[in-house]
Amino acid sequence: MASKRKMVFGYRMELGDIVPSPNEAETVRYIYTRYLAGASFQCLANELNQKALPYHTGKSWNKNMVARVLEDDRYIGEKYFPALIPTEQFHAAQERRR
C-alpha cells in the first residue's frame, strides 16, 4: 500500500509520476542555500516555522527534519526523483556537515 506512505518532502505524485511540489521544492532550495550560508539546523527549523512553511500538514519543523532534507540524495535526481538542487550544492552541504 504505497499510497498510504508520505511522499518525500519537496515532491508529489501526479498521474503516477513523481514530480516537484512547487512550494516544497522552493523550501528545499531555501534550506540548502541558507545552510551553505552558515545557518544551523535549529536556526533553519526556527526560520521555516516563523515563515509558516509546514513540513507536513500540522507538523512543525525541527532540526532532525532539516538534517533529513540536507542528507537526502534524491534532491539531486537520484532514485527516480527529479532534481531540485544542483549536485554541487548537495555535495557542498555534505562537506559542511562533516
Side-chain angles (χ1 to χ4, degrees):
M1 286 290 179
S3 64
K4 295 223 184 279
R5 204 176 55 211
K6 287 199 188 299
M7 179 54 69
V8 177
F9 185 82
Y11 299 98
R12 66 176 191 240
M13 287 298 286
E14 199 170 272
L15 303 173
D17 292 324
I18 300 169
V19 298
S21 176
N23 292 343
E24 289 183 2
E26 198 52 48
T27 300
V28 168
R29 291 183 194 105
Y30 175 83
I31 289 170
Y32 275 88
T33 301
R34 291 284 298 124
Y35 182 68
L36 291 172
S40 68
F41 293 172
Q42 190 58 60
C43 173
L44 280 163
N46 295 343
E47 287 178 16
L48 294 165
N49 288 326
Q50 285 169 352
K51 291 175 176 279
L53 297 167
Y55 180 73
H56 283 300
T57 309
K59 269 200 172 169
S60 299
W61 284 89
N62 64 44
K63 64 184 183 182
N64 296 329
M65 293 168 177
V66 170
R68 275 198 297 273
V69 168
L70 287 166
E71 68 194 10
D72 197 329
D73 64 0
R74 288 176 285 199
Y75 295 123
I76 57 172
E78 298 291 318
K79 304 175 186 107
Y80 308 106
F81 284 77
L84 298 184
I85 61 165
T87 304
E88 306 75 53
Q89 195 175 29
F90 176 79
H91 290 303
Q94 302 323 298
E95 272 306 304
R96 177 166 179 231
R97 291 186 57 158
R98 283 191 204 115

